[in-house]
Structures are given as structure tokens and as C-alpha cells.
Amino acid sequence: MKKRVFIAGLFLISMLALTACGQNTNSAEAAREAEKELQNLQMGESSATSLLEELAQLQEEGGLEQYLGQSDEIDKLINNYISGMEDVGKVAAFGQPESKMDGKTVIVDVPITGTASDPNGNPRTATVEIIVSLDSGKMDLAVNPKYTTSELMTKAGLNTLLGMGVTFTILILISLIISCFTLIGKIGNKSKGKDTPAADTGVDNAVRQIVAGEQQADDDNELIAVISAAIAAYEADNGYVSADGVVIRSIRKINKSKWQNA
């Protein structure tokens, strides 16, 4: 409980001190401008290194997670530290911090050596970047582990394979979708093909009936012409002369048995 109060007080003191320094920076005293900037830089570096040392100590004691839930600002710092230290392990040694000013912000880079080892068996190193805002007193933290060339190449290769795999998977899916469209079109054509013979049959029957009717009409016309010629020849032989001539309107087939009986 005392440590929890201690770290919360540490954050509060750092924010208040940095806010006060930020207000002093805005003063109009030109002679003290450079000195105040140096003070701000030193204050930001001191707050950043104190924060990092406290986080490393809590991690060593195994109680870092119990401080989560106090505030969003503290949760963000602790979560960033935990996720960044996964490949580094715990802090074995601190290096010389480097600080720089960027407007109203102090950026502090602290090199550290971790307890974890790289593939070559050497201790894993990293740079902890802490950004301190002089206006609000808020801090942000990021752990940047240093990887070997082989590790970087392996990660680049995995990223390339992953990207190519996703691309080819999408292309295969698109090809399958296009194939499905082609199959649907073939099924539709088959359905139309099943309906087409019935329609074609009806058209063929109609054509046959028309052709048969035309042939029947031609045969009737020929028969009428023959009968008319025979009647005209008979009348001429017997001396019958008709003023209007003989006009055959139609030819109708009669029952053969009735004809014989007559």
C-alpha cells in the first residue's frame, strides 16, 4: 500500500513540477531564457529517469501489475513498459540518458541492458524513450528493443510471406467467385435449353401445317384445272356452249360406296 501511494505521489510531484517549469518558461525575462530552458531539460530528464527506475524496481519485485487501475495515465505507462520489455526481460543496467528539447516537450532516451539474451547469446539491449510535456506534465513511454540483423531479416521475411499469403488467398477467392458465376451461367443456359425444344417443336408443327396446306391448295388447283379442261372438251365435242363457262368452286371427296350405289 505504501508503494502504491509512493508511485502515485511520484507521478503527481513530477506533473506539478513540470507544469511550474513550463509556466516559468513563458516568462518575458530574456536574460534567464537559456537558464530556464536548461532547468526544464534537467527537470524533464530527472522525472523521466526517476519514473523508469521506479518501474524497473516494481518489475523486479514482481508487483508492477497491481498498480494498474489507478488512472488512465499510469495504466498507459505501465502497459507500454510491460509490452516493450517482453523481449528484453528485466532491467540489468541503465546507461547514460540523452535529453533534448522539442518546443514544450522534453524527450529523454535512456539506454538499458536487459536480462534476456539475443540469438547470439549477448544481453538484449533497448532504448527507453520517455516524452515529457512541460505544459501538462503528462508523460509517455516506449521501449524500443534492439534486434540482430538475422532477427530483422527473419521478421521482414515473415511479414513478406504473410502479405503474399493474404494477397494470393484473396486472388484465389476472387477466382472461385468468378468460377461460380460461370457455373451459374451454364446452369441457366441448360434450363433455357430444356424449354427451347418445346418451343421449336411448336414452330416446326406450324411450319409443317402451313407447307401441307400450301401443297394441298396446289393439288386442288391442279385438279380443278384438269376437271375444267375435261368438261370444256366434252361440251365442245357435244356442241354445248355455255355463256358463262364452267366455274368449279371446290372439290369435295365423297364416299366411294355411295358413288358405286348410285
mmCIF file with all atom_site columns, all heavy atoms in Angstrom, residues 36-60:
data_model
loop_
_atom_site.group_PDB
_atom_site.id
_atom_site.type_symbol
_atom_site.label_atom_id
_atom_site.label_alt_id
_atom_site.label_comp_id
_atom_site.label_asym_id
_atom_site.label_entity_id
_atom_site.label_seq_id
_atom_site.pdbx_PDB_ins_code
_atom_site.Cartn_x
_atom_site.Cartn_y
_atom_site.Cartn_z
_atom_site.occupancy
_atom_site.B_iso_or_equiv
_atom_site.pdbx_formal_charge
_atom_site.auth_seq_id
_atom_site.auth_comp_id
_atom_site.auth_asym_id
_atom_site.auth_atom_id
_atom_site.pdbx_PDB_model_num
ATOM 1   N N   . LYS A 1 36 ? 16.543 28.863 -17.939 1.00 0.00 ? 36 LYS A N   1
ATOM 2   C CA  . LYS A 1 36 ? 15.277 28.197 -17.675 1.00 0.00 ? 36 LYS A CA  1
ATOM 3   C C   . LYS A 1 36 ? 15.072 26.993 -18.598 1.00 0.00 ? 36 LYS A C   1
ATOM 4   O O   . LYS A 1 36 ? 14.539 25.961 -18.183 1.00 0.00 ? 36 LYS A O   1
ATOM 5   C CB  . LYS A 1 36 ? 14.120 29.179 -17.851 1.00 0.00 ? 36 LYS A CB  1
ATOM 6   C CG  . LYS A 1 36 ? 14.051 30.227 -16.749 1.00 0.00 ? 36 LYS A CG  1
ATOM 7   C CD  . LYS A 1 36 ? 12.898 31.185 -16.984 1.00 0.00 ? 36 LYS A CD  1
ATOM 8   C CE  . LYS A 1 36 ? 12.848 32.237 -15.866 1.00 0.00 ? 36 LYS A CE  1
ATOM 9   N NZ  . LYS A 1 36 ? 11.745 33.192 -16.058 1.00 0.00 ? 36 LYS A NZ  1
ATOM 10  N N   . GLU A 1 37 ? 15.536 27.148 -19.843 1.00 0.00 ? 37 GLU A N   1
ATOM 11  C CA  . GLU A 1 37 ? 15.427 26.014 -20.761 1.00 0.00 ? 37 GLU A CA  1
ATOM 12  C C   . GLU A 1 37 ? 16.277 24.850 -20.265 1.00 0.00 ? 37 GLU A C   1
ATOM 13  O O   . GLU A 1 37 ? 15.857 23.688 -20.339 1.00 0.00 ? 37 GLU A O   1
ATOM 14  C CB  . GLU A 1 37 ? 15.871 26.439 -22.164 1.00 0.00 ? 37 GLU A CB  1
ATOM 15  C CG  . GLU A 1 37 ? 15.726 25.328 -23.194 1.00 0.00 ? 37 GLU A CG  1
ATOM 16  C CD  . GLU A 1 37 ? 16.055 25.811 -24.590 1.00 0.00 ? 37 GLU A CD  1
ATOM 17  O OE1 . GLU A 1 37 ? 16.151 27.031 -24.796 1.00 0.00 ? 37 GLU A OE1 1
ATOM 18  O OE2 . GLU A 1 37 ? 16.212 24.931 -25.471 1.00 0.00 ? 37 GLU A OE2 1
ATOM 19  N N   . LEU A 1 38 ? 17.462 25.177 -19.750 1.00 0.00 ? 38 LEU A N   1
ATOM 20  C CA  . LEU A 1 38 ? 18.313 24.126 -19.203 1.00 0.00 ? 38 LEU A CA  1
ATOM 21  C C   . LEU A 1 38 ? 17.669 23.490 -17.973 1.00 0.00 ? 38 LEU A C   1
ATOM 22  O O   . LEU A 1 38 ? 17.725 22.266 -17.781 1.00 0.00 ? 38 LEU A O   1
ATOM 23  C CB  . LEU A 1 38 ? 19.683 24.709 -18.842 1.00 0.00 ? 38 LEU A CB  1
ATOM 24  C CG  . LEU A 1 38 ? 20.691 23.742 -18.221 1.00 0.00 ? 38 LEU A CG  1
ATOM 25  C CD1 . LEU A 1 38 ? 20.988 22.591 -19.183 1.00 0.00 ? 38 LEU A CD1 1
ATOM 26  C CD2 . LEU A 1 38 ? 21.988 24.472 -17.849 1.00 0.00 ? 38 LEU A CD2 1
ATOM 27  N N   . GLN A 1 39 ? 17.039 24.312 -17.158 1.00 0.00 ? 39 GLN A N   1
ATOM 28  C CA  . GLN A 1 39 ? 16.347 23.779 -15.986 1.00 0.00 ? 39 GLN A CA  1
ATOM 29  C C   . GLN A 1 39 ? 15.194 22.852 -16.399 1.00 0.00 ? 39 GLN A C   1
ATOM 30  O O   . GLN A 1 39 ? 14.999 21.792 -15.799 1.00 0.00 ? 39 GLN A O   1
ATOM 31  C CB  . GLN A 1 39 ? 15.816 24.934 -15.126 1.00 0.00 ? 39 GLN A CB  1
ATOM 32  C CG  . GLN A 1 39 ? 16.904 25.726 -14.405 1.00 0.00 ? 39 GLN A CG  1
ATOM 33  C CD  . GLN A 1 39 ? 16.330 26.887 -13.622 1.00 0.00 ? 39 GLN A CD  1
ATOM 34  O OE1 . GLN A 1 39 ? 15.130 27.167 -13.688 1.00 0.00 ? 39 GLN A OE1 1
ATOM 35  N NE2 . GLN A 1 39 ? 17.191 27.581 -12.869 1.00 0.00 ? 39 GLN A NE2 1
ATOM 36  N N   . ASN A 1 40 ? 14.466 23.274 -17.401 1.00 0.00 ? 40 ASN A N   1
ATOM 37  C CA  . ASN A 1 40 ? 13.376 22.426 -17.892 1.00 0.00 ? 40 ASN A CA  1
ATOM 38  C C   . ASN A 1 40 ? 13.902 21.094 -18.412 1.00 0.00 ? 40 ASN A C   1
ATOM 39  O O   . ASN A 1 40 ? 13.319 20.038 -18.163 1.00 0.00 ? 40 ASN A O   1
ATOM 40  C CB  . ASN A 1 40 ? 12.607 23.146 -19.008 1.00 0.00 ? 40 ASN A CB  1
ATOM 41  C CG  . ASN A 1 40 ? 11.791 24.324 -18.478 1.00 0.00 ? 40 ASN A CG  1
ATOM 42  O OD1 . ASN A 1 40 ? 11.414 24.361 -17.302 1.00 0.00 ? 40 ASN A OD1 1
ATOM 43  N ND2 . ASN A 1 40 ? 11.529 25.297 -19.342 1.00 0.00 ? 40 ASN A ND2 1
ATOM 44  N N   . LEU A 1 41 ? 15.019 21.162 -19.132 1.00 0.00 ? 41 LEU A N   1
ATOM 45  C CA  . LEU A 1 41 ? 15.603 19.949 -19.675 1.00 0.00 ? 41 LEU A CA  1
ATOM 46  C C   . LEU A 1 41 ? 16.058 19.022 -18.556 1.00 0.00 ? 41 LEU A C   1
ATOM 47  O O   . LEU A 1 41 ? 15.809 17.802 -18.591 1.00 0.00 ? 41 LEU A O   1
ATOM 48  C CB  . LEU A 1 41 ? 16.783 20.322 -20.579 1.00 0.00 ? 41 LEU A CB  1
ATOM 49  C CG  . LEU A 1 41 ? 17.380 19.194 -21.428 1.00 0.00 ? 41 LEU A CG  1
ATOM 50  C CD1 . LEU A 1 41 ? 16.345 18.665 -22.408 1.00 0.00 ? 41 LEU A CD1 1
ATOM 51  C CD2 . LEU A 1 41 ? 18.620 19.687 -22.170 1.00 0.00 ? 41 LEU A CD2 1
ATOM 52  N N   . GLN A 1 42 ? 16.705 19.604 -17.561 1.00 0.00 ? 42 GLN A N   1
ATOM 53  C CA  . GLN A 1 42 ? 17.168 18.794 -16.427 1.00 0.00 ? 42 GLN A CA  1
ATOM 54  C C   . GLN A 1 42 ? 16.009 18.233 -15.623 1.00 0.00 ? 42 GLN A C   1
ATOM 55  O O   . GLN A 1 42 ? 16.039 17.078 -15.184 1.00 0.00 ? 42 GLN A O   1
ATOM 56  C CB  . GLN A 1 42 ? 18.084 19.637 -15.526 1.00 0.00 ? 42 GLN A CB  1
ATOM 57  C CG  . GLN A 1 42 ? 19.401 20.009 -16.162 1.00 0.00 ? 42 GLN A CG  1
ATOM 58  C CD  . GLN A 1 42 ? 20.238 20.925 -15.290 1.00 0.00 ? 42 GLN A CD  1
ATOM 59  O OE1 . GLN A 1 42 ? 19.729 21.515 -14.307 1.00 0.00 ? 42 GLN A OE1 1
ATOM 60  N NE2 . GLN A 1 42 ? 21.512 21.097 -15.636 1.00 0.00 ? 42 GLN A NE2 1
ATOM 61  N N   . MET A 1 43 ? 14.958 19.021 -15.456 1.00 0.00 ? 43 MET A N   1
ATOM 62  C CA  . MET A 1 43 ? 13.798 18.559 -14.712 1.00 0.00 ? 43 MET A CA  1
ATOM 63  C C   . MET A 1 43 ? 13.091 17.423 -15.458 1.00 0.00 ? 43 MET A C   1
ATOM 64  O O   . MET A 1 43 ? 12.698 16.420 -14.857 1.00 0.00 ? 43 MET A O   1
ATOM 65  C CB  . MET A 1 43 ? 12.813 19.705 -14.484 1.00 0.00 ? 43 MET A CB  1
ATOM 66  C CG  . MET A 1 43 ? 11.564 19.300 -13.719 1.00 0.00 ? 43 MET A CG  1
ATOM 67  S SD  . MET A 1 43 ? 11.906 18.730 -12.033 1.00 0.00 ? 43 MET A SD  1
ATOM 68  C CE  . MET A 1 43 ? 12.446 20.264 -11.291 1.00 0.00 ? 43 MET A CE  1
ATOM 69  N N   . GLY A 1 44 ? 12.950 17.579 -16.787 1.00 0.00 ? 44 GLY A N   1
ATOM 70  C CA  . GLY A 1 44 ? 12.333 16.521 -17.573 1.00 0.00 ? 44 GLY A CA  1
ATOM 71  C C   . GLY A 1 44 ? 13.156 15.241 -17.536 1.00 0.00 ? 44 GLY A C   1
ATOM 72  O O   . GLY A 1 44 ? 12.602 14.139 -17.392 1.00 0.00 ? 44 GLY A O   1
ATOM 73  N N   . GLU A 1 45 ? 14.468 15.379 -17.636 1.00 0.00 ? 45 GLU A N   1
ATOM 74  C CA  . GLU A 1 45 ? 15.329 14.196 -17.591 1.00 0.00 ? 45 GLU A CA  1
ATOM 75  C C   . GLU A 1 45 ? 15.266 13.531 -16.224 1.00 0.00 ? 45 GLU A C   1
ATOM 76  O O   . GLU A 1 45 ? 15.214 12.296 -16.124 1.00 0.00 ? 45 GLU A O   1
ATOM 77  C CB  . GLU A 1 45 ? 16.772 14.599 -17.910 1.00 0.00 ? 45 GLU A CB  1
ATOM 78  C CG  . GLU A 1 45 ? 17.744 13.438 -17.905 1.00 0.00 ? 45 GLU A CG  1
ATOM 79  C CD  . GLU A 1 45 ? 19.140 13.870 -18.289 1.00 0.00 ? 45 GLU A CD  1
ATOM 80  O OE1 . GLU A 1 45 ? 19.283 14.695 -19.217 1.00 0.00 ? 45 GLU A OE1 1
ATOM 81  O OE2 . GLU A 1 45 ? 20.107 13.378 -17.655 1.00 0.00 ? 45 GLU A OE2 1
ATOM 82  N N   . SER A 1 46 ? 15.258 14.320 -15.168 1.00 0.00 ? 46 SER A N   1
ATOM 83  C CA  . SER A 1 46 ? 15.189 13.761 -13.812 1.00 0.00 ? 46 SER A CA  1
ATOM 84  C C   . SER A 1 46 ? 13.870 13.017 -13.593 1.00 0.00 ? 46 SER A C   1
ATOM 85  O O   . SER A 1 46 ? 13.845 11.916 -13.029 1.00 0.00 ? 46 SER A O   1
ATOM 86  C CB  . SER A 1 46 ? 15.345 14.881 -12.788 1.00 0.00 ? 46 SER A CB  1
ATOM 87  O OG  . SER A 1 46 ? 15.191 14.383 -11.473 1.00 0.00 ? 46 SER A OG  1
ATOM 88  N N   . SER A 1 47 ? 12.776 13.620 -14.046 1.00 0.00 ? 47 SER A N   1
ATOM 89  C CA  . SER A 1 47 ? 11.466 12.976 -13.872 1.00 0.00 ? 47 SER A CA  1
ATOM 90  C C   . SER A 1 47 ? 11.388 11.688 -14.687 1.00 0.00 ? 47 SER A C   1
ATOM 91  O O   . SER A 1 47 ? 10.853 10.674 -14.212 1.00 0.00 ? 47 SER A O   1
ATOM 92  C CB  . SER A 1 47 ? 10.349 13.928 -14.302 1.00 0.00 ? 47 SER A CB  1
ATOM 93  O OG  . SER A 1 47 ? 10.356 15.100 -13.511 1.00 0.00 ? 47 SER A OG  1
ATOM 94  N N   . ALA A 1 48 ? 11.940 11.717 -15.897 1.00 0.00 ? 48 ALA A N   1
ATOM 95  C CA  . ALA A 1 48 ? 11.893 10.537 -16.760 1.00 0.00 ? 48 ALA A CA  1
ATOM 96  C C   . ALA A 1 48 ? 12.720 9.394  -16.176 1.00 0.00 ? 48 ALA A C   1
ATOM 97  O O   . ALA A 1 48 ? 12.260 8.239  -16.128 1.00 0.00 ? 48 ALA A O   1
ATOM 98  C CB  . ALA A 1 48 ? 12.389 10.900 -18.159 1.00 0.00 ? 48 ALA A CB  1
ATOM 99  N N   . THR A 1 49 ? 13.928 9.692  -15.748 1.00 0.00 ? 49 THR A N   1
ATOM 100 C CA  . THR A 1 49 ? 14.780 8.632  -15.189 1.00 0.00 ? 49 THR A CA  1
ATOM 101 C C   . THR A 1 49 ? 14.214 8.096  -13.875 1.00 0.00 ? 49 THR A C   1
ATOM 102 O O   . THR A 1 49 ? 14.305 6.892  -13.594 1.00 0.00 ? 49 THR A O   1
ATOM 103 C CB  . THR A 1 49 ? 16.211 9.156  -14.966 1.00 0.00 ? 49 THR A CB  1
ATOM 104 O OG1 . THR A 1 49 ? 16.163 10.354 -14.174 1.00 0.00 ? 49 THR A OG1 1
ATOM 105 C CG2 . THR A 1 49 ? 16.883 9.468  -16.292 1.00 0.00 ? 49 THR A CG2 1
ATOM 106 N N   . SER A 1 50 ? 13.617 8.966  -13.069 1.00 0.00 ? 50 SER A N   1
ATOM 107 C CA  . SER A 1 50 ? 13.005 8.501  -11.822 1.00 0.00 ? 50 SER A CA  1
ATOM 108 C C   . SER A 1 50 ? 11.836 7.562  -12.109 1.00 0.00 ? 50 SER A C   1
ATOM 109 O O   . SER A 1 50 ? 11.662 6.528  -11.449 1.00 0.00 ? 50 SER A O   1
ATOM 110 C CB  . SER A 1 50 ? 12.514 9.697  -11.003 1.00 0.00 ? 50 SER A CB  1
ATOM 111 O OG  . SER A 1 50 ? 13.594 10.537 -10.630 1.00 0.00 ? 50 SER A OG  1
ATOM 112 N N   . LEU A 1 51 ? 11.040 7.930  -13.101 1.00 0.00 ? 51 LEU A N   1
ATOM 113 C CA  . LEU A 1 51 ? 9.925  7.072  -13.483 1.00 0.00 ? 51 LEU A CA  1
ATOM 114 C C   . LEU A 1 51 ? 10.416 5.707  -13.952 1.00 0.00 ? 51 LEU A C   1
ATOM 115 O O   . LEU A 1 51 ? 9.900  4.659  -13.533 1.00 0.00 ? 51 LEU A O   1
ATOM 116 C CB  . LEU A 1 51 ? 9.108  7.746  -14.585 1.00 0.00 ? 51 LEU A CB  1
ATOM 117 C CG  . LEU A 1 51 ? 8.031  6.878  -15.246 1.00 0.00 ? 51 LEU A CG  1
ATOM 118 C CD1 . LEU A 1 51 ? 6.941  6.515  -14.251 1.00 0.00 ? 51 LEU A CD1 1
ATOM 119 C CD2 . LEU A 1 51 ? 7.442  7.602  -16.460 1.00 0.00 ? 51 LEU A CD2 1
ATOM 120 N N   . LEU A 1 52 ? 11.432 5.701  -14.815 1.00 0.00 ? 52 LEU A N   1
ATOM 121 C CA  . LEU A 1 52 ? 11.945 4.438  -15.347 1.00 0.00 ? 52 LEU A CA  1
ATOM 122 C C   . LEU A 1 52 ? 12.546 3.574  -14.241 1.00 0.00 ? 52 LEU A C   1
ATOM 123 O O   . LEU A 1 52 ? 12.338 2.351  -14.204 1.00 0.00 ? 52 LEU A O   1
ATOM 124 C CB  . LEU A 1 52 ? 12.992 4.728  -16.426 1.00 0.00 ? 52 LEU A CB  1
ATOM 125 C CG  . LEU A 1 52 ? 13.608 3.505  -17.106 1.00 0.00 ? 52 LEU A CG  1
ATOM 126 C CD1 . LEU A 1 52 ? 12.537 2.637  -17.739 1.00 0.00 ? 52 LEU A CD1 1
ATOM 127 C CD2 . LEU A 1 52 ? 14.632 3.945  -18.153 1.00 0.00 ? 52 LEU A CD2 1
ATOM 128 N N   . GLU A 1 53 ? 13.283 4.171  -13.339 1.00 0.00 ? 53 GLU A N   1
ATOM 129 C CA  . GLU A 1 53 ? 13.875 3.414  -12.235 1.00 0.00 ? 53 GLU A CA  1
ATOM 130 C C   . GLU A 1 53 ? 12.799 2.818  -11.332 1.00 0.00 ? 53 GLU A C   1
ATOM 131 O O   . GLU A 1 53 ? 12.929 1.681  -10.861 1.00 0.00 ? 53 GLU A O   1
ATOM 132 C CB  . GLU A 1 53 ? 14.802 4.322  -11.427 1.00 0.00 ? 53 GLU A CB  1
ATOM 133 C CG  . GLU A 1 53 ? 16.073 4.709  -12.171 1.00 0.00 ? 53 GLU A CG  1
ATOM 134 C CD  . GLU A 1 53 ? 16.900 5.725  -11.414 1.00 0.00 ? 53 GLU A CD  1
ATOM 135 O OE1 . GLU A 1 53 ? 16.429 6.186  -10.333 1.00 0.00 ? 53 GLU A OE1 1
ATOM 136 O OE2 . GLU A 1 53 ? 17.987 6.101  -11.892 1.00 0.00 ? 53 GLU A OE2 1
ATOM 137 N N   . GLU A 1 54 ? 11.739 3.576  -11.117 1.00 0.00 ? 54 GLU A N   1
ATOM 138 C CA  . GLU A 1 54 ? 10.652 3.074  -10.272 1.00 0.00 ? 54 GLU A CA  1
ATOM 139 C C   . GLU A 1 54 ? 9.938  1.905  -10.952 1.00 0.00 ? 54 GLU A C   1
ATOM 140 O O   . GLU A 1 54 ? 9.629  0.890  -10.301 1.00 0.00 ? 54 GLU A O   1
ATOM 141 C CB  . GLU A 1 54 ? 9.668  4.201  -9.976  1.00 0.00 ? 54 GLU A CB  1
ATOM 142 C CG  . GLU A 1 54 ? 8.548  3.815  -9.032  1.00 0.00 ? 54 GLU A CG  1
ATOM 143 C CD  . GLU A 1 54 ? 9.045  3.473  -7.630  1.00 0.00 ? 54 GLU A CD  1
ATOM 144 O OE1 . GLU A 1 54 ? 10.128 3.965  -7.248  1.00 0.00 ? 54 GLU A OE1 1
ATOM 145 O OE2 . GLU A 1 54 ? 8.351  2.713  -6.925  1.00 0.00 ? 54 GLU A OE2 1
ATOM 146 N N   . LEU A 1 55 ? 9.702  2.028  -12.237 1.00 0.00 ? 55 LEU A N   1
ATOM 147 C CA  . LEU A 1 55 ? 9.066  0.939  -12.963 1.00 0.00 ? 55 LEU A CA  1
ATOM 148 C C   . LEU A 1 55 ? 9.941  -0.318 -12.963 1.00 0.00 ? 55 LEU A C   1
ATOM 149 O O   . LEU A 1 55 ? 9.444  -1.441 -12.792 1.00 0.00 ? 55 LEU A O   1
ATOM 150 C CB  . LEU A 1 55 ? 8.771  1.365  -14.414 1.00 0.00 ? 55 LEU A CB  1
ATOM 151 C CG  . LEU A 1 55 ? 7.683  2.433  -14.601 1.00 0.00 ? 55 LEU A CG  1
ATOM 152 C CD1 . LEU A 1 55 ? 7.626  2.893  -16.051 1.00 0.00 ? 55 LEU A CD1 1
ATOM 153 C CD2 . LEU A 1 55 ? 6.322  1.911  -14.156 1.00 0.00 ? 55 LEU A CD2 1
ATOM 154 N N   . ALA A 1 56 ? 11.244 -0.125 -13.156 1.00 0.00 ? 56 ALA A N   1
ATOM 155 C CA  . ALA A 1 56 ? 12.164 -1.268 -13.149 1.00 0.00 ? 56 ALA A CA  1
ATOM 156 C C   . ALA A 1 56 ? 12.203 -1.943 -11.779 1.00 0.00 ? 56 ALA A C   1
ATOM 157 O O   . ALA A 1 56 ? 12.256 -3.178 -11.682 1.00 0.00 ? 56 ALA A O   1
ATOM 158 C CB  . ALA A 1 56 ? 13.558 -0.813 -13.558 1.00 0.00 ? 56 ALA A CB  1
ATOM 159 N N   . GLN A 1 57 ? 12.169 -1.154 -10.709 1.00 0.00 ? 57 GLN A N   1
ATOM 160 C CA  . GLN A 1 57 ? 12.177 -1.721 -9.368  1.00 0.00 ? 57 GLN A CA  1
ATOM 161 C C   . GLN A 1 57 ? 10.903 -2.513 -9.085  1.00 0.00 ? 57 GLN A C   1
ATOM 162 O O   . GLN A 1 57 ? 10.942 -3.612 -8.526  1.00 0.00 ? 57 GLN A O   1
ATOM 163 C CB  . GLN A 1 57 ? 12.353 -0.606 -8.331  1.00 0.00 ? 57 GLN A CB  1
ATOM 164 C CG  . GLN A 1 57 ? 12.418 -1.124 -6.894  1.00 0.00 ? 57 GLN A CG  1
ATOM 165 C CD  . GLN A 1 57 ? 12.582 -0.005 -5.880  1.00 0.00 ? 57 GLN A CD  1
ATOM 166 O OE1 . GLN A 1 57 ? 12.756 1.160  -6.259  1.00 0.00 ? 57 GLN A OE1 1
ATOM 167 N NE2 . GLN A 1 57 ? 12.521 -0.333 -4.598  1.00 0.00 ? 57 GLN A NE2 1
ATOM 168 N N   . LEU A 1 58 ? 9.762  -1.949 -9.496  1.00 0.00 ? 58 LEU A N   1
ATOM 169 C CA  . LEU A 1 58 ? 8.493  -2.657 -9.299  1.00 0.00 ? 58 LEU A CA  1
ATOM 170 C C   . LEU A 1 58 ? 8.449  -3.942 -10.122 1.00 0.00 ? 58 LEU A C   1
ATOM 171 O O   . LEU A 1 58 ? 7.911  -4.958 -9.674  1.00 0.00 ? 58 LEU A O   1
ATOM 172 C CB  . LEU A 1 58 ? 7.326  -1.744 -9.675  1.00 0.00 ? 58 LEU A CB  1
ATOM 173 C CG  . LEU A 1 58 ? 7.119  -0.518 -8.773  1.00 0.00 ? 58 LEU A CG  1
ATOM 174 C CD1 . LEU A 1 58 ? 6.025  0.379  -9.336  1.00 0.00 ? 58 LEU A CD1 1
ATOM 175 C CD2 . LEU A 1 58 ? 6.782  -0.935 -7.348  1.00 0.00 ? 58 LEU A CD2 1
ATOM 176 N N   . GLN A 1 59 ? 9.011  -3.913 -11.345 1.00 0.00 ? 59 GLN A N   1
ATOM 177 C CA  . GLN A 1 59 ? 9.079  -5.126 -12.147 1.00 0.00 ? 59 GLN A CA  1
ATOM 178 C C   . GLN A 1 59 ? 9.965  -6.172 -11.489 1.00 0.00 ? 59 GLN A C   1
ATOM 179 O O   . GLN A 1 59 ? 9.647  -7.368 -11.499 1.00 0.00 ? 59 GLN A O   1
ATOM 180 C CB  . GLN A 1 59 ? 9.601  -4.803 -13.550 1.00 0.00 ? 59 GLN A CB  1
ATOM 181 C CG  . GLN A 1 59 ? 9.627  -6.019 -14.480 1.00 0.00 ? 59 GLN A CG  1
ATOM 182 C CD  . GLN A 1 59 ? 10.366 -5.738 -15.770 1.00 0.00 ? 59 GLN A CD  1
ATOM 183 O OE1 . GLN A 1 59 ? 11.192 -4.829 -15.837 1.00 0.00 ? 59 GLN A OE1 1
ATOM 184 N NE2 . GLN A 1 59 ? 10.069 -6.527 -16.796 1.00 0.00 ? 59 GLN A NE2 1
ATOM 185 N N   . GLU A 1 60 ? 11.066 -5.751 -10.912 1.00 0.00 ? 60 GLU A N   1
ATOM 186 C CA  . GLU A 1 60 ? 11.969 -6.678 -10.226 1.00 0.00 ? 60 GLU A CA  1
ATOM 187 C C   . GLU A 1 60 ? 11.282 -7.339 -9.041  1.00 0.00 ? 60 GLU A C   1
ATOM 188 O O   . GLU A 1 60 ? 11.483 -8.535 -8.773  1.00 0.00 ? 60 GLU A O   1
ATOM 189 C CB  . GLU A 1 60 ? 13.221 -5.913 -9.760  1.00 0.00 ? 60 GLU A CB  1
ATOM 190 C CG  . GLU A 1 60 ? 14.263 -6.771 -9.082  1.00 0.00 ? 60 GLU A CG  1
ATOM 191 C CD  . GLU A 1 60 ? 14.944 -7.730 -10.036 1.00 0.00 ? 60 GLU A CD  1
ATOM 192 O OE1 . GLU A 1 60 ? 15.001 -7.434 -11.246 1.00 0.00 ? 60 GLU A OE1 1
ATOM 193 O OE2 . GLU A 1 60 ? 15.408 -8.796 -9.558  1.00 0.00 ? 60 GLU A OE2 1
#
